[in-house]
Amino acid sequence: MKLVETPFQALSLARSVLLEPYGLDESHLTAALAEIFRHRVDYADLYFQFTRSEGWSLEEGIVKSGSFSIDQGVGVRAVCGDKTAFAYSDVIGADALMNAARATRTIASRGAGRVAVSGALVPGHGHALYGLDDPIPRMEAAQKVALLERVERMARAKDPRVRQVMAGLAAEYDVVLVARSDGRIAADVRPLVRLSLTVIAEQGGRREQGHSGGGGRFDFGHFDDERIERYVDEAVHAALTNLDARPAPAGTMTVVLGPGWPGVLLHEAVGHGLEGDFNRKGSSVFTGRVGERVASRGVTVVDDGTLSQRRGSLNVDDEGNPTRRNVLIEDGILRGYLQDELNARLMKSAATGNGRRESFAHLPMPRMTNTYMLAGGHDPAEILESVDRGLYAVNFGGGQVDITNGKFVFSASEAWWIEGGRLQYPVKGATIVGNGPDALQRVTMIGNDMCLDPGIGVCGKDGQSVPVGVGQPTLRIERMTVGGTA
């Protein structure tokens, strides 16, 4: 698979998949946009999408499920002030497109209309962060099953206490095309694969789980033996570690967060609160605080949709804007919010390339891409050695956050008790409770080991799910509340 293609190749491919088979060309798109603008609206766009997806799961050496699906359609949106009208069709064609366009005029102000688009649509700019090839046919079905069987054999061979192995393989091929009332047209072709692994180990009647996996915008060739071995080692290690875990202590204490996936706490407790819609409506704890200190010195948080082949990256967002590297918090100072077109216009700011939607049947909204904290200057070993008594959270499971006040609760899937600057023993049942902005101001040491998660993140918001990335270095945070089982 070619690693990168030009944005113009993506546009050409999208035309061949989404327009030409249905007798459409750009004149039909401009006509639909003109139909919307027969009444007065501020903005309109058309979002075409074709998605092919496949999934396989293996349990106890048996293929438990195999799925394949194709979905396609077009969503039509019109915006007038802070009101939005939206219609979609899972049929692509001139009649369906025009009917959807007429339906969106229901919010338009009456009076003399104007046609915002005339002549040819102009291709917008975009990145070339990943290839255009469909990953699904790049490997035969029998090869995919054999890959999962190899994962299971490797996990069982690691330790006799491994009792059960569940492995899954998923792939998606997404082709989108956006035509906008400001005259721009853009497209993206998005491959996505993921390998997931769950291991259950048993000892003395006690059973514990470990999880691992990864993925991104490439094909199945990414999962070579070395990478699979690493996933297996991580999952088995987590399960066996939890077999020896003692009840977690409770109380207020120093907490050290590990690098990589623990950045999901940053994503939930801080990232959502920096999305433009929450701040426009005044429902975020960060509303109106741009330019203020919201975190300790040294804390810099970015959202970057331009990282090559990363799960959360996009060449253009779902409104046709190129993704960007957006600095949200710089050395502790809040610098800005993540914006889509609607909220940027109403807040009199610029769109940041963060307009995302689950599918053509959903409205776009401001969403994160790859959100992470930059590295600091401390060695991770130095951070652990600095802690007299506290918790080291290596990995996280589920969690939740209240956007309005920043309060969060997260459960640690792997954690250790620290005493005298050393890891003493693993603990089970630790939950970390806090407030996002408050926790950021309690960061006292930032590691030099920033890394991103392996490519497993899925973000939910208002019923929509999209792939994302998270990351951070090792962090020392003071006076965190830990709920335990001891």
Side-chain angles (χ1 to χ4, degrees):
M1 165 176 152
K2 279 180 85 172
L3 291 184
V4 294
E5 307 282 353
T6 70
F8 296 104
Q9 287 174 296
L11 183 55
S12 176
L13 192 153
R15 286 188 181 111
S16 70
V17 171
L18 292 165
L19 301 183
E20 294 167 7
Y22 309 101
L24 298 177
D25 58 29
E26 290 175 18
S27 68
H28 294 92
L29 311 189
T30 56
L33 291 168
E35 178 66 22
I36 298 171
F37 272 80
R38 287 179 61 187
H39 286 189
R40 190 171 296 280
V41 298
D42 297 323
Y43 173 84
D45 59 21
L46 316 174
Y47 182 85
F48 294 84
Q49 182 180 31
F50 168 89
T51 302
R52 177 164 39 223
S53 59
E54 179 184 80
W56 298 87
S57 68
L58 188 82
E59 186 176 345
E60 296 297 327
I62 301 171
V63 176
K64 289 290 186 179
S65 67
S67 63
F68 181 84
S69 66
I70 293 178
D71 198 17
Q72 64 183 29
V74 58
V76 180
R77 175 177 61 149
V79 178
C80 184
D82 62 353
K83 297 183 297 181
T84 299
F86 180 67
Y88 70 89
S89 171
D90 56 8
V91 175
I92 298 177
D95 290 342
L97 179 62
M98 196 59 71
N99 288 338
R102 293 189 183 106
T104 63
R105 285 165 38 197
T106 57
I107 65 156
S109 303
R110 293 192 176 276
R114 61 184 177 87
V115 178
V117 181
S118 60
L121 294 164
V122 178
H125 298 291
H127 307 294
L129 305 172
Y130 35 80
L132 304 182
D133 292 339
D134 184 349
I136 294 175
R138 304 282 290 182
M139 182 182 286
E140 297 293 333
Q143 294 175 296
K144 296 167 187 173
V145 173
L147 188 155
L148 295 177
E149 290 173 337
R150 187 162 77 253
V151 169
E152 183 186 43
R153 287 195 302 271
M154 293 170 66
R156 289 187 179 278
K158 292 291 180 182
D159 194 282
R161 290 171 289 179
V162 173
R163 293 288 188 266
Q164 191 172 355
V165 180
M166 293 161 282
L169 197 62
E172 184 175 284
Y173 180 65
D174 202 24
V175 182
V176 303
L177 184 146
V178 185
R180 301 163 43 120
S181 60
D182 60 6
R184 274 189 282 168
I185 186 170
D188 200 3
V189 179
R190 303 166 177 169
L192 189 65
V193 298
R194 177 178 172 178
L195 175 64
S196 57
L197 171 65
T198 297
V199 169
I200 298 177
E202 183 176 7
Q203 177 178 273
R206 178 175 176 176
R207 294 168 67 90
E208 296 290 350
Q209 294 186 3
H211 307 276
S212 188
R217 298 197 180 278
F218 30 70
D219 63 25
F220 293 117
H222 178 77
F223 302 121
D224 56 22
D225 287 343
E226 180 181 352
R227 195 174 302 275
I228 292 173
E229 182 90 28
R230 185 165 71 249
Y231 293 159
V232 169
D233 285 342
E234 290 170 354
V236 172
H237 168 78
L240 298 181
T241 297
N242 285 330
L243 283 177
D244 296 326
R246 306 179 192 180
T252 300
M253 63 188 71
T254 298
V255 172
V256 177
L257 302 181
W261 178 247
V264 68
L265 190 152
L266 182 75
H267 168 103
E268 294 288 356
V270 179
H272 278 299
L274 296 178
E275 291 168 339
D277 48 354
F278 296 125
N279 288 279
R280 177 176 66 84
K281 297 171 185 176
S283 58
S284 169
V285 69
F286 292 104
T287 298
R289 299 191 63 188
V290 172
E292 295 182 13
R293 177 165 298 282
V294 296
S296 298
R297 295 187 184 279
V299 172
T300 296
V301 178
V302 302
D303 182 87
D304 191 350
T306 70
L307 302 177
S308 177
Q309 298 185 296
R310 294 299 307 182
R311 181 175 173 84
S313 295
L314 301 170
N315 290 320
V316 295
D317 71 1
D318 293 325
E319 296 179 306
N321 291 314
T323 52
R324 294 177 12 183
R325 181 183 186 274
N326 297 294
V327 178
L328 302 176
I329 299 172
E330 184 178 27
D331 197 21
I333 305 299
L334 180 61
R335 295 303 185 192
Y337 307 121
L338 299 174
Q339 300 286 17
D340 63 349
E341 286 285 344
L342 170 63
N343 290 282
R345 181 180 298 108
L346 294 173
M347 295 180 73
K348 295 180 172 55
S349 63
T352 60
N354 290 90
R356 304 190 65 184
R357 60 177 100 195
E358 182 177 317
S359 77
F360 67 88
H362 299 82
L363 279 168
M365 64 182 84
R367 305 291 299 272
M368 286 172 277
T369 56
N370 304 296
T371 310
Y372 55 95
M373 185 186 297
L374 299 190
H378 292 281
D379 185 277
E382 175 194 0
I383 295 177
L384 288 172
E385 289 168 1
S386 72
V387 179
D388 183 39
R389 292 170 61 87
L391 186 79
Y392 177 43
V394 180
N395 221 333
F396 281 110
Q400 58 185 0
V401 62
D402 185 338
I403 300 298
T404 60
N405 56 28
K407 292 181 179 178
F408 62 80
V409 179
F410 273 85
S411 60
S413 58
E414 181 183 349
W416 292 74
W417 178 246
I418 310 169
E419 196 163 326
R422 295 178 180 273
L423 299 182
Q424 299 296 324
Y425 48 82
V427 296
K428 177 77 173 173
T431 58
I432 298 176
V433 183
N435 173 284
D438 180 63
L440 284 184
Q441 303 223 37
R442 297 176 186 268
V443 173
T444 56
M445 298 179 77
I446 303 173
N448 58 13
D449 58 340
M450 197 290 290
C451 67
L452 298 170
D453 77 281
I456 59 176
V458 178
C459 174
K461 177 180 175 181
D462 290 351
Q464 295 191 42
S465 295
V466 295
V468 296
V470 301
Q472 67 173 41
T474 298
L475 299 177
R476 173 174 168 154
I477 309 177
E478 307 301 330
R479 303 186 307 281
M480 294 290 286
T481 300
V482 175
T485 52

